[in-house]
Amino acid sequence: MEIIGFEKVFNDNIHGHIILHPLCVAIIDTPEFQRLRNIKQLGTTYLVYPCASINRFEHSLGVCHLAGEMLNALCKNCNNEIFVTEEEILCVKLAGLCHDIGHGPFSHTWERFLTTAGINWKHEECSIQMLKYIIQKYDLMKEFKRYGLDESYHIELICEFIRGYGKILPSEKYFLYQIISNKDNGIDVDKWDYFLRDGKSLNLSISFDYKRLIQFSMVVVDPNSNPSKKVIAFRNKEARNIYDMYRVRSDLHLRAYQHRAVQNTEIMLIDILLKAEKCCTVQTPCGTKYSLTEAHTNIDAMSRLTDHILYDIQYSVDPNLEEARSLLNRLLTRHLYKFVGSYNLNFVNPSICDNVIDVEKLKINLKEQLEKAFEVQFGIAATWLNCGAPVTDPLRNVIFFKKPTCGSKIIHLDNTPYYSLYPLQKLEFFKREITVFCKMLKVNNENLEKFDAFSKRYLENFKP
């Protein structure tokens, strides 16, 4: 595939100088992609860690770069014996670039805001809608076609790569679905980039080495399924490195993403958005106005939403936004909700951890019982850690291979049960904790103790 336009060099503080394809540059240079510069990657974490103000923009560029690096290594390590077209490689890069363009203000906080409002919405599907919207709005399909990308086949393939699953590719190319969003074991370039990027902004050490994982990766036939299904495998000596990757994820969640103060500020921000929901609107060029809980239903409205809505509330003189402004001022002046208590369910009620339960329902029920008993408003947060994979022991789903013998092209898989050699500690990797906050501005210690005792008793007696 001949590169017709101009590649662009970006100086990234994580990966150094990275070169992106002209088609990627065409998407980057749209206002809809540029809006990612104004969407904080870590939500309200910057209110606790002052330097955690990185945005989705630079993360998206990093994932695009790593996707290309991963594919280059896989082709090289397999002696170019895996057949991947240049068009498919470009599709993977585009998926890495666009996997987060559907995020709302303050990233995952926006999803939690909509969940609190009773709306089931996922940013991945919005990213797919936003990509199609950009292509249509700026007539980019002709640019896609210049590089051999078909309007129906390849656009849908990019969407499948964003989701991390699909039916377009045959099982021999299943490994391409594992690069951006790996649903099998959570090892993907999206996590590698945000671990490094977030760790640097949070000033937290990142111990695992993603460059080694890339260099010691190969495509092999999956021994656990269809004989023709090919997946990404890693050298057996990288088992400890992968274990460290899962540990880093857990550490970032415990020390930053789900830090008690971060949970507190996020609950306050969600309350601010709920109070401003009807009066703080988004208007499209055709004149239609959407409330904050309606904007996701129109991709044009969604493309106009960034973190700026907080400033719209803060500097508004609309009397209908007075309650939201007052709470926002309380957040910015650090008059946070009062901490009541944190309850590690591994100790308080292990039966909750051993069952599949609706965590949101548990939070709602506890909140309702507390408010009914004390006639005071409460905020409930849940720390529900996993390893970014759908199983409780993702190492079991990682395929390892042995070092090839000199001159041999035959790859032997390693069946050593590394999940037993490097067991993921339940309390560290799968923490189950409920944290309660009281929303009163002033509350005495005696009442806090009553709230604490009630919460603990409720969780002790909760029946999954």
Side-chain angles (χ1 to χ4, degrees):
M1 177 173 57
E2 180 185 359
I3 295 181
I4 304 166
F6 291 98
E7 296 178 320
K8 193 168 185 178
V9 179
F10 294 84
N11 188 2
D12 183 66
N13 68 334
I14 300 297
H15 308 297
H17 291 87
I18 61 179
I19 303 173
L20 298 186
H21 191 279
L23 190 52
C24 295
V25 176
I27 292 176
I28 292 169
D29 289 341
T30 62
E32 287 74 16
F33 192 92
Q34 291 290 319
R35 72 185 266 278
L36 296 181
R37 293 182 185 272
N38 298 311
I39 295 180
K40 287 188 173 59
Q41 177 153 316
L42 301 182
T44 61
T45 308
Y46 77 102
L47 295 173
V48 180
Y49 288 84
C51 293
S53 55
I54 54 176
N55 303 312
R56 287 284 159 184
F57 182 85
E58 50 264 41
H59 166 63
S60 298
L61 268 58
V63 175
C64 178
H65 166 70
L66 285 184
E69 294 292 293
M70 186 68 178
L71 272 171
N72 289 339
L74 290 175
C75 291
K76 177 185 174 183
N77 295 344
C78 295
N79 298 315
N80 295 312
E81 292 180 359
I82 55 172
F83 180 69
V84 182
T85 67
E86 293 185 9
E87 290 77 17
E88 288 167 345
I89 292 174
L90 182 53
C91 284
V92 173
K93 292 179 180 179
L94 288 166
L97 182 71
C98 299
H99 78 289
D100 275 348
I101 56 173
H103 263 298
F106 298 95
S107 295
H108 292 291
T109 299
W110 188 258
E111 283 176 293
R112 297 181 188 114
F113 156 63
L114 291 178
T115 298
T116 305
I119 298 168
N120 183 22
W121 177 85
K122 299 297 180 184
H123 79 273
E124 292 90 352
E125 291 304 316
C126 190
S127 293
I128 289 169
Q129 293 178 44
M130 191 73 74
L131 172 61
K132 293 179 178 179
Y133 172 76
I134 290 172
I135 293 172
Q136 181 181 19
K137 183 177 180 181
Y138 301 102
D139 195 22
L140 291 180
M141 201 59 236
K142 60 184 179 182
E143 295 297 320
F144 277 70
K145 289 179 179 178
R146 290 175 75 185
Y147 296 102
L149 302 190
D150 179 76
E151 184 170 1
S152 57
Y153 178 84
H154 289 104
I155 299 302
E156 289 306 316
L157 184 58
I158 294 170
C159 296
E160 289 192 348
F161 288 153
I162 291 175
R163 293 189 183 102
Y165 60 88
K167 299 179 180 179
I168 292 179
L169 293 180
S171 57
E172 292 87 349
K173 294 186 177 183
Y174 177 83
F175 66 93
L176 292 175
Y177 290 115
Q178 297 181 307
I179 294 174
I180 305 298
S181 179
N182 192 331
K183 304 300 183 185
D184 298 303
N185 51 42
I187 305 174
D188 54 54
V189 297
D190 177 28
K191 292 184 181 64
W192 294 349
D193 184 85
Y194 82 69
F195 288 171
L196 294 162
R197 203 169 296 279
D198 296 356
K200 185 169 186 177
S201 71
L202 294 163
N203 196 29
L204 298 177
S205 298
I206 304 299
S207 58
F208 89 99
D209 188 346
Y210 81 94
K211 291 182 179 179
R212 281 186 61 87
L213 287 181
I214 288 178
Q215 295 307 317
F216 290 103
S217 62
M218 288 192 73
V219 174
V220 302
V221 175
D222 187 353
N224 303 314
S225 62
N226 189 316
S228 63
K229 183 179 179 181
K230 292 187 177 181
V231 295
I232 299 174
F234 300 92
R235 267 287 303 278
N236 49 8
K237 66 177 182 179
E238 294 306 302
R240 179 70 199 193
N241 195 17
I242 293 174
Y243 173 87
D244 283 342
M245 187 202 77
Y246 292 129
R247 187 198 57 74
V248 163
R249 184 184 187 280
S250 173
D251 202 37
L252 286 170
H253 273 271
L254 290 173
R255 298 174 65 184
Y257 308 152
Q258 300 191 56
H259 185 287
R260 182 193 302 168
V262 173
Q263 291 177 329
N264 196 340
T265 56
E266 182 174 80
I267 291 173
M268 292 188 75
L269 177 57
I270 290 173
D271 284 347
I272 292 165
L273 295 175
L274 289 171
K275 292 178 185 299
E277 187 266 323
K278 295 296 183 185
C279 301
C280 189
T281 59
V282 186
Q283 184 171 337
T284 59
C286 65
T288 307
K289 291 184 179 181
Y290 295 87
S291 69
L292 297 183
T293 53
E294 295 171 337
H296 69 280
T297 63
N298 182 279
I299 200 64
D300 197 0
M302 196 67 200
S303 71
R304 299 167 188 275
L305 271 178
T306 68
D307 295 0
H308 78 272
I309 60 172
L310 215 56
Y311 298 104
D312 289 349
I313 297 170
Q314 184 179 3
Y315 299 121
S316 170
V317 293
D318 185 347
N320 295 315
L321 286 172
E322 177 56 37
E323 195 176 358
R325 277 198 306 273
S326 177
L327 185 56
L328 176 55
N329 181 64
R330 180 178 167 184
L331 172 62
L332 296 176
T333 55
R334 300 293 291 186
H335 290 89
L336 306 182
Y337 293 154
K338 300 296 182 182
F339 172 71
V340 173
S342 286
Y343 313 96
N344 190 319
L345 300 180
N346 295 94
F347 302 114
V348 173
N349 190 341
S351 65
I352 297 179
C353 305
D354 297 332
N355 287 272
V356 177
I357 68 165
D358 187 334
V359 184
E360 291 302 317
K361 187 175 181 179
L362 171 61
K363 289 163 56 179
I364 291 171
N365 289 345
L366 175 55
K367 176 180 167 66
E368 288 177 347
Q369 292 300 317
L370 277 165
E371 293 180 352
K372 180 180 178 180
F374 299 103
E375 297 183 346
V376 173
Q377 289 190 321
F378 293 87
I380 314 294
T383 301
W384 223 257
L385 288 187
N386 57 44
C387 291
V391 292
T392 56
D393 194 350
L395 273 173
R396 190 185 295 268
N397 282 11
V398 180
I399 297 174
F400 295 99
F401 62 89
K402 299 177 182 179
K403 182 178 180 179
T405 56
C406 185
S408 174
K409 291 186 177 181
I410 299 176
I411 300 299
H412 296 283
L413 300 184
D414 185 353
N415 297 319
T416 304
Y418 289 100
Y419 54 87
S420 61
L421 298 178
Y422 301 109
L424 303 181
Q425 299 301 318
K426 187 174 182 180
L427 297 182
E428 179 182 2
F429 292 90
F430 305 101
K431 189 174 184 179
R432 303 288 185 259
E433 187 172 84
I434 296 293
T435 303
V436 178
F437 302 96
C438 174
K439 297 184 180 182
M440 292 176 63
L441 183 59
K442 295 181 180 180
V443 56
N444 58 43
N445 290 334
E446 182 180 351
N447 282 330
L448 286 175
E449 290 174 1
K450 290 180 181 178
F451 303 156
D452 176 36
F454 184 96
S455 301
K456 186 175 182 180
R457 186 165 59 252
Y458 175 86
L459 292 170
E460 286 176 338
N461 297 320
F462 181 82
K463 303 295 183 183

